[in-house]
Amino acid sequence: MLTRADLKPLADDAHGTFVEDDWTYDGEWRVDIRKRLRPTAAYQRCEVRRTAEDSLVRIDVQTMDESEMKQHVYGTGSGAHDHRLDFGADVQGWVGQNEVGLGLRCDNPENAAQPYVGVQVNRGTYAQPSDRSHRAVLDIALKVARAVVADYPCSNPVGLPDSIPGTAPGS
């Protein structure tokens, strides 16, 4: 799903090998060999890392009910998710210093009790904070959301924008 061009702004001028790890969480973390993020009752995670300590990017996808969706998008506590991001009428989002999250309604018979999908993309510990890396995280979040909607699929129409709004915080 992600290409070298998607990841390059996060790697700066690094040379060497980065490895993709795919995980599913259903009470405990398990290696997932499907190599794709698809919302299920279990939590899906993909991480691109150089070493166990140096991750480039982490992507989480999960189904949610309405209260989980509100928690995912709005957060709790002082300053939680201060920077709202308008992805359009069908998608709610937020931007943090190192992460981007979005949530959307996606009706699918596989998960009727959890009709929302959450996507969260975190800039890893290896990627240095910069306008380029922040923009890359924003773009990856939208690309993942498009892939999830296409693969899942949602029986309701989901209108995703062509690109991240230029007014996104940090862009």
Side-chain angles (χ1 to χ4, degrees):
M1 170 181 11
L2 297 181
T3 66
R4 183 179 295 265
D6 295 324
L7 298 172
K8 187 165 177 48
L10 298 171
D12 291 323
D13 295 323
H15 298 284
T17 303
F18 288 85
V19 177
E20 176 185 350
D21 291 324
D22 295 281
W23 301 87
T24 298
Y25 182 79
D26 58 2
E28 69 179 80
W29 286 106
R30 302 173 195 279
V31 174
D32 189 338
I33 59 172
R34 289 178 293 182
K35 298 290 184 185
R36 66 181 184 162
L37 294 170
R38 192 164 194 273
T40 65
Y43 193 93
Q44 302 286 305
R45 173 173 285 171
C46 175
E47 194 163 10
V48 177
R49 55 180 55 247
R50 186 170 200 161
T51 67
E53 296 82 31
D54 289 333
S55 64
L56 196 59
V57 66
R58 185 182 78 222
I59 303 165
D60 297 310
V61 175
Q62 68 188 84
T63 59
M64 301 177 284
D65 62 23
E66 187 169 359
S67 67
E68 291 169 316
M69 167 67 170
K70 288 179 181 176
Q71 174 67 26
H72 176 74
V73 172
Y74 298 106
T76 59
S78 175
H81 307 323
D82 281 339
H83 301 287
R84 299 296 314 230
L85 183 58
D86 184 5
F87 280 93
D90 299 322
V91 183
Q92 299 297 312
W94 56 269
V95 178
Q97 183 177 0
N98 299 316
E99 58 195 359
V100 176
L102 57 91
L104 55 100
R105 174 130 190 153
C106 182
D107 295 328
N108 186 297
E110 290 179 29
N111 290 307
Q114 295 184 305
Y116 294 93
V117 173
V119 173
Q120 187 167 329
V121 178
N122 292 66
R123 178 178 51 80
T125 56
Y126 185 80
Q128 297 300 310
S130 69
D131 290 345
R132 282 184 57 208
S133 67
H134 183 71
R135 188 70 202 185
V137 169
L138 289 164
D139 292 340
I140 288 169
L142 183 57
K143 187 172 188 175
V144 169
R146 276 199 202 104
V148 166
V149 168
D151 182 52
Y152 194 34
C154 305
S155 60
N156 57 307
V158 178
L160 290 166
D162 292 332
S163 63
I164 298 294
T167 58
S171 54

